[in-house]
Amino acid sequence: MRQRDDMTFPFEEYERRLRELRERMAARLLDAVVITDPENLMYLTDYQTTGYSFFQALVVPLDDEPFMITRHLEESNIHARTWVEKTRPYPDTGDAIQMLVEALREFGLSDKTVGYERNSYFFPAYHQDAIHTTFRDGRLIDCFGIVEEGRVCKSPAELEIMRRAAKATEAGMRAGFEACEAGVTENEIGAAISSAMFRAGGEPPAVMPYVVSGPRSMIGHATWEGRTVQPGEHVFMEVGGCYRRYHTAMMRTVICGELTGAMAQAQERMKFALDEVHEQVQPGLTVSDVDNLVRNIITDNMVGASLITRSGYSIGIAFPPSWDEGYIISLKQGDSRVLKEGMTFHILPWMWGVEGDKTVGISDTIHVTADGCESFFGLDRDFVVKPASGKSAGGRKAAEAAPVSAVKANGEDKGATHAESD
């Protein structure tokens, strides 16, 4: 390992991650592992590139120096970013898997037990077929998850990096509030969010913001497509800020017109769910416990809405196509894994089908502490309500928009939670 002081984390952090990986390797009787997942490469070495569609791998022997196999163009990233000293690049006209097998032979691993990430997006089946065909003297074992076991609980240094990502998330969302009004396009809102994130120090996220208005909010994972926001409509936004590939995410809702009773009730259901998360989530609860907590609150509504997805997921290091670590842990029913200090989650008490044709959201990114949990954000959770007149009439800015925690509709205080009104 080449010690250096210009990486994302102190050098000791990478030494710890590698040491703990090797402890897990020894427990599973592995002589080496071949790591191909981009997030895992980043976690172990600080390596990153947008060219991860080409085969790349970090080989970690149990008792010897790690080495990397990359496309020749990407070798510069290894030397510029990481502690790795040994590289074996292949040319664009070469065979990546043949280079890997030859390197395993060169470093005395050709007859050893070697783990590989069978479920990695970027170790496709045809590459796996090739290595099984050519690596004949040793034994190949699926070790998918062996690095993720270390990633799931974030260190204090990682939490600090996520706080920097959270600043970009909040800046983007505030800009989204400012841009939302009748008469503007979803593209203009998306542009405002993106610009603010980057100006706040954010870096390119694994997914650009989601911005949908009116009936388009019912389309899963849709984002801006040039539609113009109409008077009386709502805008649903989900923003994931990024710093050094670490992400935090939040959902918020803007209403360009009147807050209806149904929308006010949906707002309070989601806020109540997040309040209960902050009150109850702590080490010792199971994944299923947290999902049931959120799901039961959202399901108990009088506006015809439902929670049609998992209620949250682990979040941290991410490359496209997704900013979440849901393949490590997703908050869903039937999962008995126990929450631990340092785990980080995007909590999703969003509501699909309010009044039959609206999706709305208020979400939070939290980290589990020694005796509870904390949010990465300080942004108000209430829907932002702006005049229906919109752009043409010079509607109020988001900073001037009225909070809706105590909106009255039909003579009733719709700021009360459903639980309080029962």
Side-chain angles (χ1 to χ4, degrees):
M1 296 179 71
R2 179 164 61 101
Q3 187 162 346
R4 54 194 299 174
D5 60 4
D6 59 347
M7 300 169 71
T8 301
F9 298 103
F11 188 72
E12 295 74 21
E13 179 90 357
Y14 298 100
E15 290 183 309
R16 176 188 62 80
R17 295 174 183 182
L18 190 61
R19 181 180 66 254
E20 292 177 354
L21 170 62
R22 283 173 163 154
E23 290 170 358
R24 294 190 292 272
M25 290 167 56
R28 296 176 64 171
L29 306 179
L30 295 171
D31 297 307
V33 291
V34 178
I35 304 302
T36 55
D37 185 87
E39 289 83 1
N40 290 341
L41 295 176
M42 173 77 182
Y43 176 77
L44 292 171
T45 71
D46 217 23
Y47 175 88
Q48 62 165 296
T49 176
T50 60
Y52 53 86
S53 57
F54 285 82
F55 182 82
Q56 55 189 20
L58 173 72
V59 180
V60 181
L62 188 61
D63 300 311
D64 204 351
E65 190 73 11
F67 57 93
M68 283 193 73
I69 310 296
T70 63
R71 183 187 182 199
H72 200 284
L73 174 65
E74 307 298 347
E75 187 183 22
S76 58
N77 272 308
I78 300 173
H79 299 309
R81 299 179 185 274
T82 83
W83 50 258
V84 177
E85 297 183 74
K86 296 181 179 180
T87 64
R88 293 296 182 269
Y90 61 89
D92 286 5
T93 56
D95 186 323
I97 300 304
Q98 187 61 39
M99 178 61 75
L100 171 61
V101 172
E102 289 177 2
L104 291 171
R105 183 179 301 111
E106 175 187 354
F107 293 110
L109 298 169
S110 60
D111 61 349
K112 303 298 184 180
T113 300
V114 177
Y116 71 103
E117 297 174 305
R118 188 170 182 267
N119 202 37
S120 171
Y121 284 172
F122 300 99
F123 195 6
Y126 73 94
H127 277 155
Q128 293 187 32
D129 290 344
I131 194 171
H132 278 281
T133 300
T134 54
F135 188 77
R136 304 304 297 271
D137 298 328
R139 183 183 180 203
L140 292 169
I141 293 179
D142 179 17
C143 70
F144 181 78
I146 197 167
V147 178
E148 286 84 349
E149 287 181 49
R151 284 175 50 198
V152 68
C153 292
K154 276 61 175 180
S155 68
E158 288 178 287
L159 294 177
E160 189 57 36
I161 291 293
M162 291 183 70
R163 291 186 184 98
R164 297 187 70 168
K167 291 180 179 179
T169 307
E170 285 201 348
M173 190 61 79
R174 289 182 187 278
F177 292 165
E178 183 83 9
C180 283
E181 56 184 337
V184 305
T185 66
E186 295 172 348
N187 293 43
E188 291 176 282
I189 298 168
I193 294 171
S194 303
S195 176
M197 286 197 301
F198 300 153
R199 291 179 184 277
E203 296 165 2
V207 184
M208 292 298 285
Y210 292 102
V211 178
V212 285
S213 59
R216 292 191 69 244
S217 68
M218 294 290 287
I219 305 172
H221 281 145
T223 191
W224 64 78
E225 292 182 11
R227 183 180 186 273
T228 299
V229 180
Q230 301 300 310
E233 290 185 337
H234 75 295
V235 181
F236 169 78
M237 298 177 289
E238 186 176 10
V239 176
C242 174
Y243 184 76
R244 297 298 187 269
R245 304 313 322 155
Y246 283 79
H247 292 68
T248 61
M250 70 160 71
M251 296 174 174
R252 290 294 188 272
T253 304
V254 175
I255 297 175
C256 299
E258 180 184 355
L259 181 76
T260 66
M263 291 289 268
Q265 290 182 45
Q267 171 194 252
E268 296 309 316
R269 279 283 85 189
M270 292 184 287
K271 289 171 59 181
F272 179 51
L274 290 177
D275 287 343
E276 289 299 295
V277 164
H278 282 276
E279 179 69 26
Q280 298 189 37
V281 167
Q282 60 183 311
L285 289 185
T286 68
V287 170
S288 186
D289 289 336
V290 181
D291 179 75
N292 286 329
L293 171 66
V294 174
R295 191 171 302 280
N296 289 342
I297 292 171
I298 296 303
T299 300
D300 182 20
N301 71 81
M302 298 183 293
V303 296
S306 58
L307 177 60
I308 64 171
T309 65
R310 57 193 173 169
S311 62
Y313 47 77
S314 177
I315 190 168
I317 305 174
F319 287 80
S322 179
W323 66 44
D324 73 83
E325 296 178 337
Y327 62 97
I328 302 178
I329 295 181
S330 282
L331 299 180
K332 56 187 179 182
Q333 295 173 310
D335 191 331
S336 60
R337 283 179 290 179
V338 175
L339 268 58
K340 299 178 182 178
E341 182 180 0
M343 288 183 172
T344 51
F345 296 100
H346 184 201
I347 305 295
L348 306 171
W350 62 320
M351 300 180 73
W352 186 86
V354 175
E355 297 181 315
D357 63 353
K358 300 177 182 67
T359 293
V360 296
I362 307 171
S363 71
D364 195 8
T365 297
I366 66 167
H367 65 94
V368 180
T369 65
D371 57 2
C373 69
E374 294 180 1
S375 175
F376 284 97
F377 305 127
L379 192 64
D380 191 84
R381 296 174 185 163
D382 284 333
F383 290 178
V384 172
V385 179
K386 305 181 78 172
S389 54
K391 191 172 183 179
S392 60
R396 285 183 298 166
K397 300 299 185 183
E400 302 169 351
V404 296
S405 56
V407 172
K408 293 181 179 297
N410 299 324
E412 296 181 3
D413 185 357
K414 296 302 182 181
T417 65
H418 184 209
E420 292 169 340
S421 64
D422 280 346

